Amino acid sequence: MKEITFEEIRNNKEISAYVASADSSLAAMGYTDHSAGHVLKCAKTVKEILTEFGYSPREINLGQIAAYMHDIGNTVNRVCHGQNGALMAFNILTRLEMEPKDIALIIAAIGNHDESAAYPVNAISAALILADKSDVRRTRVRHPESREENIHDRVNYAVIDSHLDINKKERTLTLKLTLDTEVTPIMDYFEIFLVRMNLCKLAASKLNASFKLIINQLELI
């Protein structure tokens, strides 16, 4: 058994192929961008959260790995993609001879990131939930011209700026969004993201922190 680094996972051709395949499948179904850009952003945010709140280098590394691999289950099907991705990650990481205790943390995070069956079972899974659900931005929209018919595209396209502020001293994680209300009203955001925002509150509590949502300088959660 050996320690596997995030950089090794990021540069692994097999895993990168699954990341690309998953995104291709979601593109065919009309979902927003889930490419390397999304998973790398999630990995960066996970690292920032766990670093700021004082977690170990090992946990940070495992969190980044989980973030990079969290959506590969979409290669199989969008339904249960968290659980499918966890099983795929188990197979891959076992073949790479990663320590079982490390694999267990990663697959728990992957298997618990989707809001249909999610729960922050450990710090890594909590950080992944927060990173994944806070990645709302205009650049994730593949076909801006179709946003009138697709509320997910419309809401993401309306987000001009987004930032997850991590405050170690106050133990808060604040998602700050600037939303163009001429594109969509704020209520549309809650129509599709309320479950995810409540999940972020639960994830933050796992980190002994609180979650806040500010849209256009108004604190809504």
Side-chain angles (χ1 to χ4, degrees), residues 135-153:
D135 187 16
V136 187
R137 51 189 164 87
R138 175 169 289 187
T139 52
R140 291 192 69 184
V141 178
R142 301 179 197 270
H143 305 291
E145 69 280 358
S146 67
R147 63 183 184 272
E148 291 303 319
E149 293 76 37
N150 187 321
I151 189 172
H152 288 270
D153 279 352

Side-chain angles (χ1 to χ4, degrees), residues 15-29 31-32 34-35 39 69-78 81 88 142:
I15 297 171
S16 294
Y18 291 138
V19 171
S21 176
D23 182 55
S24 179
S25 294
L26 292 173
M29 290 185 278
Y31 283 89
T32 53
H34 284 71
S35 67
V39 296
M69 301 181 74
H70 80 274
D71 271 335
I72 61 174
N74 286 294
T75 297
V76 180
N77 197 290
R78 178 65 180 174
H81 75 275
M88 292 171 68
R142 301 179 197 270

